[in-house]
Amino acid sequence: MDKGMNKADKTLLLVLCCFLTALVLHLQYRDSVLAEAFLFASEAALVGGIADWFAVTALFRKPLGFPYHTAILPRRRDAFIQASVTLVQKEFFSKRKIFRHLERLHILPMLMGWLREPATENRLVMQLVNYLRDFLLSQEASKHSAVLAAKGREALQAIEPEDFFALWGSWLQQTGKDKAFVKRLAQYWHKQVSTEDTRQNLQKLLEDYEAEKTNDNPWAKLASFALQAVDLVNYGEAAELMQKQILAMLEELETENSPLQQSLLALFYEKSAELNDEPEFHQLVHELKDSLLRDLPLEPALEQIFANLREHFLQDKAMDVDPLAEHMPALRSRLEEIIHAEYQKTLQLMEEDEELRRTVSSFLFDVIARSALHAQHLIGVIVENVLSGLTDEQLNRLVYDKVEPDLLWIRMNGSIVGASIGLVLFLLLKIAG
């Protein structure tokens, strides 16, 4: 429409030229049958072409301004739009067709194949970890702090101190933490003992001890003075010697599996076992446990921890930083491992349990079918809104572009059929005359 002359217009122009040529020939050769037949046929072709042009044009506008029963599509646009909506809803998206197409789809195998892909698994696991993180951040800290504190007290109440000490000692031995603890302790004291202050303190200790022993005995004090005078007794050298001996012992304690270290640990475990069997110690640790459970401020501590974590995590999240990966990579890795394992178990269960497969397949079919049926109305609304928003010219162009070749052939067929009928009528008239 309005894109220059098309082949139907050119055909009509050709028919007009043929008519004018036939008219001139008929006027020149009035007795010629061929000229008369040519005029008769071209006249019928011109009438047929003009009539079909009028009919096709009248569908979209008023040809030559003719007002009666023309511009049919613009005048009946509301009916056309409703018919289009009904066509889309009832034919293209009918319940029967939707169900038939869904039955052809193997929904569950397609879903299982998609879920088995490593990229899908990783993406879903990451999403679940993030959802879990966000869920924990959205929880009320005070409520969960009270629950965790109650669980903690309950767990601590069930622990017998003697059993705990026994387990703790066994854990120290199995992991070698006891040797590491002795080594660090020896290193600390080695650093402290190796100073000049320690040597002076040892010398002062010896001198104080000598003064204490000789204070009430004049003869002992005289002998001590004489020995110091001839340098047979030198407290400075004695203190230095003691310091070296202590440092040597500490260095041996630092050496893993040294005899002194093993002897010390064996003595520690022996005395710990004896202490653990003492009734007085049993009563003391139970009183300490009860006092600890009663006075330990678990709720405020946990609430403060959760509040600080939540604030810190929200700050990281606002900066597009994953707080778990940034500050608790071990926790995030463990969560990912757990969810990966449960994900694989779920897929395996889906593959092995036929009843579960039927249930899930039925559920998916029901959900998709209901969604498609709800979309049926939505699609109708969309089609109606789109078509209603078009101007008359846009609507005409939309329809005309879809059927333009057929409309052009209708117009050309008008001229062709008109010429054929004109020839037939001319022959009949000649035969009858």
Side-chain angles (χ1 to χ4, degrees):
M1 297 176 67
D2 298 333
K3 293 191 297 184
M5 292 188 66
N6 51 48
K7 57 184 178 180
D9 296 331
K10 295 175 181 178
T11 302
L12 185 59
L13 180 60
L14 177 62
V15 170
L16 176 61
C17 293
C18 290
F19 171 73
L20 294 175
T21 303
L23 181 60
V24 171
L25 290 175
H26 178 68
L27 293 176
Q28 292 292 328
Y29 306 99
R30 291 184 177 276
D31 297 330
S32 173
V33 175
L34 291 177
E36 185 178 0
F38 183 40
L39 177 63
F40 210 95
S42 60
E43 181 181 5
L46 182 61
V47 172
I50 293 174
D52 283 351
W53 165 82
F54 186 92
V56 170
T57 305
L59 291 173
F60 305 100
R61 58 182 56 148
K62 298 176 182 179
L64 303 177
F66 192 80
Y68 301 106
H69 300 289
T70 55
I72 296 173
L73 185 57
R75 287 194 303 108
R76 303 291 302 277
R77 63 176 293 147
D78 292 338
F80 172 78
I81 291 173
Q82 290 303 319
S84 300
V85 171
T86 302
L87 179 66
V88 171
Q89 289 180 326
K90 302 301 182 182
E91 294 299 327
F92 298 158
F93 289 91
S94 66
K95 182 177 180 180
R96 175 176 54 83
K97 289 186 176 181
I98 290 174
F99 280 19
R100 187 170 69 245
H101 285 296
L102 288 178
E103 288 171 355
R104 293 175 182 172
L105 295 176
H106 301 290
I107 299 175
L108 188 58
M110 292 172 59
L111 177 62
M112 293 295 293
W114 179 71
L115 292 175
R116 288 192 197 97
E117 295 178 1
T120 302
E121 179 178 349
N122 292 330
R123 184 166 59 251
L124 292 178
V125 168
M126 294 301 104
Q127 288 293 334
L128 289 173
V129 171
N130 292 335
Y131 289 153
L132 180 60
R133 177 201 64 198
D134 295 340
F135 172 77
L136 293 176
L137 289 177
S138 66
Q139 298 305 298
E140 186 179 350
S142 58
K143 177 180 177 182
H144 293 282
S145 298
V147 173
L148 288 176
K151 293 292 185 182
R153 285 194 173 91
E154 182 180 344
L156 291 173
Q157 187 67 41
I159 295 176
E160 289 294 332
E162 294 83 357
D163 296 338
F164 171 76
F165 289 139
L167 288 174
W168 182 62
S170 176
W171 175 79
L172 286 176
Q173 287 180 302
Q174 291 176 0
T175 59
K177 298 292 184 181
D178 52 353
K179 298 175 183 178
F181 175 74
V182 171
K183 180 180 179 180
R184 291 194 177 189
L185 188 63
Q187 289 174 342
Y188 170 79
W189 282 112
H190 188 282
K191 184 177 180 181
Q192 299 297 321
V193 172
S194 61
T195 62
E196 178 63 22
D197 290 340
T198 301
R199 191 195 65 78
Q200 293 177 0
N201 289 332
L202 287 173
Q203 181 177 348
K204 185 176 184 303
L205 180 65
L206 291 174
E207 292 172 350
D208 291 343
Y209 179 76
E210 183 268 338
E212 180 183 352
K213 293 300 180 179
T214 61
N215 189 33
D216 298 330
N217 192 335
W219 293 105
K221 184 178 295 187
L222 180 62
S224 174
F225 177 77
L227 290 173
Q228 292 184 41
V230 298
D231 202 23
L232 291 177
V233 175
N234 190 322
Y235 291 119
E237 292 180 357
E240 185 177 353
L241 182 62
M242 290 176 62
Q243 184 183 35
K244 290 180 179 180
Q245 289 296 323
I246 294 173
L247 289 174
M249 291 175 56
L250 291 174
E251 289 174 358
E252 187 176 356
L253 282 176
E254 291 180 24
T255 305
E256 187 173 350
N257 294 324
S258 65
L260 184 59
Q261 187 186 78
Q262 292 180 348
S263 299
L264 178 64
L265 289 174
L267 180 62
F268 170 77
Y269 289 123
E270 179 184 349
K271 297 304 178 182
S272 297
E274 293 177 0
L275 183 63
N276 208 20
D277 293 333
E278 290 289 335
E280 294 82 0
F281 179 74
H282 176 83
Q283 181 180 358
L284 176 63
V285 294
H286 275 274
E287 290 176 356
L288 288 175
K289 185 187 80 170
D290 295 339
S291 176
L292 181 65
L293 292 176
R294 183 178 61 254
D295 301 331
L296 192 64
L298 288 178
E299 289 86 351
L302 289 173
E303 186 173 351
Q304 186 62 42
I305 290 172
F306 287 146
N308 292 339
L309 281 176
R310 186 172 185 274
E311 181 181 359
H312 195 62
F313 280 17
L314 289 176
Q315 290 176 355
D316 288 342
K317 191 176 178 183
M319 295 185 294
D320 292 331
V321 175
D322 186 354
L324 285 181
E326 181 73 15
H327 305 290
M328 300 181 178
L331 175 60
R332 183 177 179 88
S333 298
R334 183 55 182 161
L335 286 175
E336 291 177 5
E337 291 175 5
I338 293 173
I339 296 177
H340 270 293
E342 294 302 320
Y343 185 92
Q344 291 297 331
K345 289 180 182 178
T346 303
L347 291 182
Q348 185 177 359
L349 182 63
M350 288 285 293
E351 293 174 351
E352 296 175 354
D353 194 330
E354 186 62 30
E355 182 63 27
L356 179 61
R357 289 172 61 86
R358 285 197 297 268
T359 302
V360 174
S361 181
S362 176
F363 172 75
L364 291 175
F365 182 87
D366 184 64
V367 169
I368 296 174
R370 289 177 182 273
S371 301
L373 291 176
H374 283 297
Q376 183 185 49
H377 173 71
L378 179 62
I379 291 172
V381 172
I382 294 174
V383 172
E384 183 176 4
N385 290 338
V386 170
L387 293 180
S388 299
L390 299 177
T391 63
D392 288 346
E393 182 61 29
Q394 290 172 331
L395 185 62
N396 288 341
R397 172 58 61 189
L398 177 67
V399 175
Y400 182 82
D401 287 343
K402 299 298 182 286
V403 294
E404 181 180 15
D406 298 314
L407 294 179
L408 294 180
W409 273 106
I410 288 174
R411 291 177 55 189
M412 291 188 293
N413 287 338
S415 298
I416 295 170
V417 173
S420 302
I421 293 175
L423 285 175
V424 171
L425 289 178
F426 177 77
L427 293 175
L428 290 177
L429 289 174
K430 287 299 181 181
I431 294 172

